[in-house]
Amino acid sequence: MIYIKNAQQIEKIRLSGRLASRTLDMISEHLKPGVTTGELDKLVNKYIVGHDAVPATLGYKGRGGSVPFPASCCISINEEIVHGIPGPRALADGDLVKIDVTTILDGFYGDTARTFLVGDVPEAGVRLREATRKSLELAIAVVRPGTRLGDIGAAIQRHVESQGFSVVRDFVGHGVGLQFHEDPSVNHYGSPGKGVKVKSGMIFTIEPMINEGSYKIKLLDDNWTAVTADGKLSAQFEHTVLVTADGAEILTLS
Ligand code: MF3
Ligand code: CO
Ligand code: CO
């Protein structure tokens, strides 16, 4: 079932989304070679809790009875696609670092991720990041009542494949707001004119994961971290998006 959110709910999700975005602003100041991902996670926790919110990933149980996620954000580096677990690893010059933050503020969820460049990143990584960022922008631009989910996926796929990159299939965007992961699933590839029609008041994430090489993934032994099967780079951007009467509003802005 796809929820249609009312004005009060939308305002609360907007506030939570703003906090999630501001958390990323805060952490972006700390991304220097030598800092560990565990230290970054502590800062994220402190910031979210300090704003009377809860990090949604901490203790989150995915499908299939896997181990609860042990941290307040996901940090995924280079060939890691998503769901990287913060720990003792230090950032290094040239790293492509994806950080994904989900806040629960007053019971409402905001979910956003960005890819950051640490120091001097090779040209391929810079291009991959920009293609991913642009694909999310193009996807949001097609959102309005009557748009189909396939139109959103197609907008992403068309752009990134034209740049020689590939769209990860195994993870999707999702309805969000009252719960962490609601219906519908939002594929980041697809056919124009296919899929569910979006309606005013729907809120979902669009969160393309784009690979430098093949879109195939592997899951690490920690049962969370997804990496590219070929070891090449991956990038991601994510926004929580509201369908309005005549377009879309990004709810994860600072
Ligand atoms: N924030 C991720 C998403 O965009 C989900 C992370 S779940 C976790 O849907 F358990 F890995 F943290
Ligand atoms: Co999400
Ligand atoms: Co997320």
Side-chain angles (χ1 to χ4, degrees):
M1 193 201 81
I2 304 178
Y3 298 113
I4 301 296
K5 275 83 173 187
N6 66 36
Q8 286 83 352
Q9 293 168 329
I10 289 167
E11 179 54 18
K12 304 264 198 184
I13 298 164
R14 190 183 281 116
L15 290 171
S16 190
R18 187 171 70 179
L19 177 62
S21 175
R22 288 180 176 179
T23 307
L24 289 177
D25 295 345
M26 178 281 297
I27 208 64
S28 70
E29 306 289 324
H30 296 271
L31 303 179
K32 307 267 159 62
V35 69
T36 70
T37 56
E39 287 164 350
L40 295 170
D41 181 61
K42 279 213 180 75
L43 290 168
V44 165
N45 181 281
K46 204 172 149 215
Y47 188 85
I48 294 174
V49 171
H51 288 81
D52 303 315
V54 175
T57 57
L58 190 57
Y60 177 75
K61 295 189 190 70
R63 277 158 286 234
S66 60
V67 256
F69 193 82
S72 298
C73 61
C74 301
I75 305 183
S76 311
I77 302 175
N78 296 336
E79 78 286 358
E80 296 171 353
I81 302 170
V82 284
H83 305 164
I85 301 175
R89 177 169 179 176
L91 299 189
D93 186 67
D95 279 348
L96 205 59
V97 179
K98 287 79 70 177
I99 306 185
D100 189 341
V101 167
T102 311
T103 46
I104 313 171
L105 180 64
D106 202 8
F108 292 85
Y109 291 74
D111 189 6
T112 186
R114 298 180 203 157
T115 296
F116 300 95
L117 305 172
V118 178
D120 227 350
V121 173
E123 178 64 19
V126 177
R127 278 189 55 240
L128 178 67
R129 176 186 182 278
E130 178 54 21
T132 307
R133 192 201 61 71
K134 183 73 183 176
S135 76
L136 175 55
E137 183 183 305
L138 291 169
I140 293 170
V142 304
V143 175
R144 67 179 62 80
T147 296
R148 290 180 183 271
L149 292 181
D151 300 323
I152 295 173
I156 293 166
Q157 185 176 17
R158 190 182 317 117
H159 182 68
V160 305
E161 291 184 355
S162 80
Q163 305 291 301
F165 301 130
S166 71
V167 178
V168 171
R169 269 52 168 174
D170 296 74
F171 302 98
V172 295
H174 50 92
V176 67
L178 311 184
Q179 297 156 33
F180 197 164
H181 293 111
E182 304 171 359
D183 288 340
S185 289
V186 180
N187 286 325
H188 302 110
Y189 59 94
S191 307
K194 296 277 168 68
V196 169
K197 260 190 198 172
V198 310
K199 294 192 181 124
S200 171
M202 286 185 185
I203 295 177
F204 49 82
T205 72
I206 308 176
E207 49 181 297
M209 290 136 277
I210 305 303
N211 290 356
E212 181 188 10
S214 155
Y215 60 74
K216 296 217 175 85
I217 78 151
K218 259 184 358 197
L219 197 62
L220 296 189
D221 286 339
D222 63 19
N223 262 302
W224 279 109
T225 313
V227 300
T228 58
D230 60 13
K232 294 187 177 179
L233 296 172
S234 188
Q236 184 185 30
F237 284 85
E238 175 178 26
H239 273 308
T240 295
V241 173
L242 164 72
V243 184
T244 63
D246 58 359
E249 178 188 340
I250 300 173
L251 298 182
T252 37
L253 294 178
S254 299

